[in-house]
Amino acid sequence: MLKLSQVCHVLLATLVSISFAKTVNAEPTATLNVVVNGIHHQKGEICFRVYASEQGFPMSNSSGSQSGCAKITGNSVKKQFTGLKPGTYAVAVVDDQNGDRKLNKDFFGIPKEGFGISKNPTVSIQTGTPKFRDASFVVNKNTTVNIIMKYSLDS
């Protein structure tokens, strides 16, 4: 009987050790703070999409790691994204004035609403849509990125 009790204690100790090992080896997560400056409107919302790869960047409404919108309350808006795996990301934002949560463009493909992209790359007819590599940055424990809103293509 004493031996069965000892076996139970060893088994219990092993299970507890394994559960602690899994907790210790849990993947760390990171927080991304996105600050958008230069907003021209005082109504509507700024919609954000965080991309972990070039897939869908920067136009897809269905690609991306996380997304969300924040009500415009001034010429600057902040949004926090938590639980990201440390790695390389890019962010695209839209000054959504009509509530459809996407960037509206005219017949020629020129944006009709304000937009912004992390690292603020040049966006013009000559350069076209920025590539993920031109807008990406490393996110580790706590990262802040600043985006300047654009309301026309760069010259």
Side-chain angles (χ1 to χ4, degrees):
M1 185 96 126
L2 185 60
K3 290 183 181 184
L4 182 60
S5 171
Q6 289 174 333
V7 169
C8 287
H9 284 119
V10 169
L11 183 60
L12 181 61
T14 303
L15 291 173
V16 168
S17 296
I18 290 171
S19 88
F20 280 132
K22 286 187 176 187
T23 302
V24 170
N25 292 331
E27 260 188 74
T29 60
T31 298
L32 172 62
N33 298 292
V34 181
V35 181
V36 178
N37 295 301
I39 300 168
H40 288 187
H41 303 283
Q42 298 302 304
K43 62 181 173 71
E45 57 188 1
I46 301 297
C47 292
F48 302 75
R49 187 160 300 273
V50 179
Y51 295 86
S53 72
E54 62 189 30
Q55 182 180 356
F57 178 81
M59 303 304 284
S60 175
N61 285 340
S62 59
S63 296
S65 297
Q66 291 189 27
S67 62
C69 297
K71 186 169 174 46
I72 297 172
T73 57
N75 63 358
S76 180
V77 169
K78 297 174 187 173
K79 179 107 176 117
Q80 186 175 78
F81 296 93
T82 59
L84 296 171
K85 293 180 183 177
T88 303
Y89 293 87
V91 179
V93 299
V94 173
D95 181 350
D96 187 25
Q97 290 296 299
N98 63 0
D100 65 357
R101 298 192 170 193
K102 64 180 183 178
L103 179 63
N104 297 140
K105 297 178 268 180
D106 67 13
F107 178 77
F108 299 105
I110 297 173
K112 292 169 42 175
E113 294 177 302
F115 65 94
I117 297 173
S118 50
K119 292 179 67 177
N120 303 301
T122 299
V123 181
S124 69
I125 292 173
Q126 290 83 16
T127 63
T129 303
K131 303 288 185 222
F132 180 81
R133 69 177 175 267
D134 298 326
S136 63
F137 53 93
V138 175
V139 173
N140 24 34
K141 190 171 180 144
N142 191 4
T143 304
T144 299
V145 63
N146 292 291
I147 297 176
I148 299 170
M149 196 58 97
K150 299 174 186 248
Y151 289 90
S152 65
L153 298 178
D154 296 330
S155 308

